[in-house]
């Protein structure tokens, strides 16, 4: 088993419960950690034997562009797509952060973290 991390993916998107958030948009950060068997690709040196982090990045960017009220909804969509599109992923954890959230204070970011395992 091994770990692949795709970290600090910066995206501009339109999520939130306030009209202003979905209209104006804001900056987000997404971090992803996946667990998969990396031994076959370590031996073969072939992309087809591992988890393609270009695919992971594309999934995140595409799902972040679909407006949602809650970051939890976005995180769940990202996880579902990862498990549907890459059979090698056994476990994934995604963190979605809203930078400078409009919550009435000096807050750098709000982050939700969600983990999912492949059903056997």
């Amino acid at each position: 088993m091994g770990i692949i991390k795709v970290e600090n993916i910066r995206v501009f998107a339109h999520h939130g419960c306030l009209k202003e958030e979905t209209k104006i948009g804001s900056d987000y950060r997404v971090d992803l950690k996946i667990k998969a068997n990396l031994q076959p690709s370590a031996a073969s040196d072939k992309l087809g034997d591992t988890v393609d982090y270009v695919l992971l990045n594309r999934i995140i960017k595409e799902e972040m562009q679909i407006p949602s009220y809650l970051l939890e909804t976005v995180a769940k969509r990202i996880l579902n797509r990862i498990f549907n599109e890459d059979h090698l992923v056994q476990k994934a954890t995604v963190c979605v952060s809203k930078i400078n959230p409009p919550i009435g204070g000096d807050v750098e970011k709000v982050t939700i973290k969600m983990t999912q395992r492949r059903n056997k």
Side-chain angles (χ1 to χ4, degrees), residues 40-80:
S41 60
S44 72
D45 198 30
K46 294 186 184 200
L47 180 59
D49 292 337
T50 194
V51 177
D52 183 354
Y53 47 82
V54 172
L55 170 67
L56 299 175
N57 185 54
R58 188 176 77 237
I59 289 170
I60 289 167
K61 287 186 171 187
E62 288 174 359
E63 292 303 322
M64 287 296 292
Q65 292 310 305
I66 302 169
S68 296
Y69 290 123
L70 302 177
L71 298 181
E72 292 89 330
T73 304
V74 180
K76 184 64 175 164
R77 280 200 321 261
I78 290 168
L79 290 170
N80 287 344

Side-chain angles (χ1 to χ4, degrees), residues 14-61:
H14 298 83
H15 306 298
C17 295
L18 302 174
K19 276 186 192 177
E20 295 80 17
E21 292 178 287
T22 55
K23 186 175 183 180
I24 298 169
S26 50
D27 292 313
Y28 294 83
R29 172 184 168 168
V30 181
D31 296 289
L32 179 66
K33 175 180 165 183
I34 66 101
K35 288 189 177 183
N37 183 356
L38 302 181
Q39 294 305 315
S41 60
S44 72
D45 198 30
K46 294 186 184 200
L47 180 59
D49 292 337
T50 194
V51 177
D52 183 354
Y53 47 82
V54 172
L55 170 67
L56 299 175
N57 185 54
R58 188 176 77 237
I59 289 170
I60 289 167
K61 287 186 171 187

Side-chain angles (χ1 to χ4, degrees), residues 10 13-14 29 40 48 65 67 70 72 75 83 100 102 110 112-113 116 118:
R10 292 173 298 279
H14 298 83
R29 172 184 168 168
Q65 292 310 305
L70 302 177
E72 292 89 330
F83 282 96
N100 297 319
V110 173
I112 67 98
K113 179 177 180 180
Q116 186 170 319
R118 181 171 299 283

